[in-house]
Amino acid sequence: MKIKGKIKSLNDDELLEVYKKERQADYFAELYKRYIPLVYGLCLKYLENKTDAQDAVMDIYEGLTEKVMIYEIRNFRTWLYSVAKNHCFKQRNKESKLIFVDFEQNIMENEEDFTLLDREKSEEEEQALNFCLNELNVEQKRSVELFYFEDKSYLDIVDLTGYSLSKVKSYIQNGKRNLKNCILKVLNLKDKI
C-alpha cells in the first residue's frame, strides 16, 4: 500500500490498519501524534507533574507499538484513553507504594465457600477444574486464568485483554460462579458412579 504522501489525510482506522499490515513506524507516529495533547493532559491530571507526564507520554507510545498489534481496536481514541489512564494509575501506585483495595470486590472474589482455586486439590478436583475451565466462555476463561493463576490485577487484565474494567470484574465473578457450579456438578456425578 503506497500512500506515504497522503499519510496526514488518512483517518485513525486507516492509519492503524496500514501500520498493522506494514509495520512502518511513521503511520503509527502520525496516529499517536494526533492524541498527544489528550494523553499529556490525562497524564498531567493523574501524575500532577509536568516531567512525569511528559515521560508517561513517551512510555505509553513505546508500549503501544506492540499492544496495537495484539488487540482488536474498534475506537482508537477510547482505547488509547483507557491505556493511558491505566498507565498513570500504575505509575502513581508504584511511586506511592500504596495498595488500593476494593474491599467489596475483594470479598466477593474470595468467598469462603469456594476455595478450589487457592488450595491443594485432589486429582479428581484438578481434573474437574480443568474440564470446567474449558467449559467457560473465552472471556471468562481468560479473565479467571489471569486473575487466579497468573495473579494479575483487574487493571493488568484490562491492559492484556482490552476488555473494560467492568467487563473484567463481571467475567471473573460470573466465571468463578460458573466454575463452582460446574465443578460441584462434575464431582457430584463422579460420586454417584
Side-chain angles (χ1 to χ4, degrees), residues 22 24 37 40 42 56 58 67 72 80 96 109 127-128 135 141 145-146 150 152-153 158 160 164 173 180 191:
E22 300 185 14
Q24 291 188 17
Y40 176 72
L42 182 71
M58 291 311 299
K67 281 184 183 177
E72 182 182 330
L80 176 60
S96 66
E109 299 306 340
Q127 288 173 348
E135 294 296 301
K141 180 181 179 185
E145 286 177 335
L146 288 168
E150 297 181 30
K152 300 293 184 191
S153 70
V158 167
L160 291 166
S164 70
Q173 182 180 353
K180 175 185 175 183
D191 289 343

Side-chain angles (χ1 to χ4, degrees), residues 55 72 75 94 113 119 183:
D55 290 345
E72 182 182 330
N75 181 321
K94 272 186 207 172
D113 63 335
R119 67 167 168 82
I183 289 169

